[in-house]
Amino acid sequence: MPKNSILAVISVIAIGMAAIGLFVSGGPSVGKAERRDQARIEDLYELRELTFCLAETAGGVLPKIIDNSDTCARDIMFNDPYDDVPYVYEWISERSYKYCASFEYPERITIYDSASFDPTTGCIQFTYRP
Amino acid sequence: MRNSDRLAQFVEASLEQQHSREEISETLSAAGWSASEIAEGLGAWAETQNSPPIPRPMPYVSAKESFLYALTFVSLAMTAFHINWLGFELIELMLPESSDWGNGYGEVRWTVSALIVFVPIFLFMNFRVLNEAGKDPARRRSTVRKWFGYITLFIAAVVIAGDLIAALNALLSGDLTLRFFLKAGLLGGVAALVFVYFRGEMQDAEE
């Protein structure tokens, strides 16, 4: 195989794969949306901390409604910082609850702990362990 | 004084005294020099009856060429590495498994960015190196070129061998999935292309 042909093959592979990668990952607008989704996820995890604190101060009972009480007061976002829509808290049982947000690319979200994320609803289900 | 310098000095002096190459070869052989050393010593001088003997061009080292070849080498290595990394990420996105960690889109963006930078650098540097070697054949004797060429060949050969070992191990362990097969194929394919390309380059350099 002539050297120039090999060089051409390597170049075509590299350029072709870069084009596919760009297409698959999306452009800058998708990247920005993913970062916004990441911020939403972080907010939901902050809310989980608040929920845990509220449950602990209530004697191990998960609250039905979330508010920033004095005992658990913290700098926390209750609304989506980008569209100002409130995050949704849902009591499921005495040991589980979920928080939901409007994600832009929910199928790209990965949760690294035991919580489970449902991309169709945009909800993360947490378990309360006193 | 190095052995090769002493040999070169002796061969030069012998040729100046109009000794034949056969005589010089026999004398050196009797003194314990190996056939390859004798061939190299005699090969340093053109086969003419001219006196003084005419030296053949020798490999050389230059700072400028070190820069050119180092940049070409690094850009090729980065291109090959990121082609594989990107390929692995795309294969994992195409064929996800429950044990996957993370979504891979960040890695895809990173590798695309690296390819956008390194592929043009590699193509430009390679074009420049080949162009200069075409204009001035003396450039083909660059020692730096040979070193980088053979290092690349070595790395490509090790990658191919490692890839084959991993593929065979996966096969024997019953883990040869389509996903693994595609990854191993990509890695081996890119390494083979690099190997074949640089083998051609080194054949040119040796000639």
Side-chain angles (χ1 to χ4, degrees), chain A residues 1-11 13-32 34 107-112, chain B residues 76 79 82-84 86-88 90 93 100-103 105-106 108-109 112 115-116 119 122-123 126-127 130 140 145 186 190 193-194 196-197 200-201 204:
Chain A
M1 197 175 188
K3 283 192 295 177
N4 284 344
S5 308
I6 298 169
L7 205 58
V9 171
I10 294 174
S11 307
I13 290 173
I15 294 166
M17 286 186 62
I20 294 169
L22 206 56
F23 176 75
V24 168
S25 63
S29 60
V30 179
K32 280 182 186 169
E34 282 182 27
E107 69 282 358
R108 294 192 174 197
I109 290 169
T110 310
I111 303 290
Y112 299 110
Chain B
L76 171 67
T79 298
H82 284 95
I83 285 176
N84 281 297
L86 174 58
F88 282 21
L90 291 176
L93 283 170
D100 287 347
W101 194 84
N103 61 27
Y105 290 105
V108 169
R109 287 195 189 95
V112 167
L115 286 176
I116 289 172
V119 171
F122 170 64
L123 291 177
N126 201 56
F127 169 77
L130 292 178
R140 292 179 187 277
R145 179 182 186 226
L186 175 68
V190 171
L193 282 172
V194 171
V196 172
Y197 179 75
E201 279 284 290
D204 279 357

Side-chain angles (χ1 to χ4, degrees), chain B residues 31-147:
Chain B
W33 292 91
S34 73
S36 64
E37 286 168 327
I38 296 168
E40 194 179 327
L42 287 168
W45 305 96
E47 291 190 39
T48 62
Q49 296 304 314
N50 208 61
S51 186
I54 305 167
R56 283 210 170 97
M58 297 298 283
Y60 67 97
V61 177
S62 92
K64 183 189 167 193
E65 295 214 340
S66 301
F67 162 74
L68 289 177
Y69 285 110
L71 194 54
T72 310
F73 175 78
V74 168
S75 56
L76 171 67
M78 293 302 278
T79 298
F81 175 75
H82 284 95
I83 285 176
N84 281 297
W85 188 3
L86 174 58
F88 282 21
E89 294 297 338
L90 291 176
I91 290 166
E92 285 178 11
L93 283 170
M94 213 164 56
L95 303 167
E97 284 179 2
S98 56
S99 58
D100 287 347
W101 194 84
N103 61 27
Y105 290 105
E107 286 82 354
V108 169
R109 287 195 189 95
W110 174 265
T111 50
V112 167
S113 307
L115 286 176
I116 289 172
V117 171
F118 279 112
V119 171
I121 292 177
F122 170 64
L123 291 177
F124 173 73
M125 294 307 295
N126 201 56
F127 169 77
R128 192 172 162 174
V129 162
L130 292 178
N131 196 35
E132 287 188 4
K135 282 184 193 162
D136 178 8
R139 303 253 177 185
R140 292 179 187 277
R141 286 192 295 272
S142 167
T143 305
V144 182
R145 179 182 186 226
K146 281 188 184 175
W147 267 100

